[in-house]
Amino acid sequence: MDLLGIGGCASGAGKTRLACAVLARLEGWAAVKSSIHAAADRRFEIVRDRAVLAAPGSDTCRLLAAGASAVVWLRASAAAATAGLDAALASIGTVPGVVVEGNSVWRERFPERLIVVARAGVDEVKASARALLARADLAVVNRPHGVPRGLADAAADRLVSRFGARAVSVVDLAEAEDPGWKPVWALLATWSRP
């Protein structure tokens, strides 16, 4: 199964909004929402309970509403992130691919494609995102309506010069017709299919 990772530079960057837009275009794909904490233990939990996943306003509910064929929520310690991801993927069954939202699950394994999201006007870049930016296929700067283009362009330049991002697109993730989506759709179009 193909894996598309969607990471974020900071909370609220737009990972879930991007994941939902992608899922709406990838028929039959599933999603994994990962929540990783710093505990030293090697525990993880995979939540598949539909009532929990469909809780109004939750990220998992949004992923389901976007058309994911299945959604699981991985809650794991950092030490168990890889084992937890493997178990989460195994629990999904046969699907063409999975969108995996989160950063820390990619420490020991890497997805076929990776997009990292930053938000214009938010300078924070988590350590887990720093490790991903130089390896990402695409960095997306989320420029919500009303945020000056110059601020977003400065954020894009910073992702390249300071963090080694190879390709950056500036897009209002809430606007389906924003031309900044084109590199995202082009990335998905290059995906090799069996």
Side-chain angles (χ1 to χ4, degrees):
M1 98 183 45
D2 290 327
L3 296 179
L4 170 63
I6 297 182
C9 289
S11 295
K15 294 185 308 291
T16 303
R17 186 178 292 270
L18 178 62
C20 289
V22 167
L23 283 164
R25 287 185 170 238
L26 296 172
E27 187 175 332
W29 278 49
V32 172
K33 167 70 178 176
S34 67
S35 300
I36 307 298
H37 53 85
D41 64 28
R42 293 199 136 306
R43 288 184 242 169
F44 63 85
E45 174 187 18
I46 297 169
V47 179
R48 294 186 49 90
D49 181 326
R50 185 77 175 194
V52 173
L53 298 174
S58 68
D59 288 350
T60 53
C61 180
R62 292 171 59 197
L63 295 168
L64 285 165
S69 62
V71 175
V72 297
W73 181 15
L74 168 63
R75 298 191 295 203
S77 67
T82 300
L85 178 59
D86 290 342
L89 294 172
S91 77
I92 290 173
T94 304
V95 294
V98 179
V99 172
V100 180
E101 184 186 322
N103 294 356
S104 296
V105 293
W106 305 119
R107 278 194 249 172
E108 297 174 32
R109 116 187 260 195
F110 213 68
E112 285 85 358
R113 300 279 188 269
L114 175 67
I115 301 172
V116 179
V117 184
R119 185 177 178 100
V122 176
D123 290 336
E124 178 187 1
V125 177
K126 299 187 286 189
S128 60
R130 289 178 192 153
L132 298 179
L133 277 165
R135 296 177 69 188
D137 296 284
L138 181 64
V140 171
V141 175
N142 180 10
R143 183 181 64 88
H145 183 72
V147 172
R149 179 69 192 214
L151 187 61
D153 288 343
D157 290 345
R158 184 170 148 263
L159 292 178
V160 172
S161 65
R162 188 164 173 209
F163 299 106
R166 296 179 291 178
V168 181
S169 182
V170 174
V171 59
D172 179 348
L173 293 178
E175 180 54 55
E177 300 303 317
D178 189 303
W181 280 109
K182 288 179 184 172
V184 176
W185 307 144
L187 178 65
L188 296 183
T190 65
W191 209 296
S192 62
R193 300 281 179 220

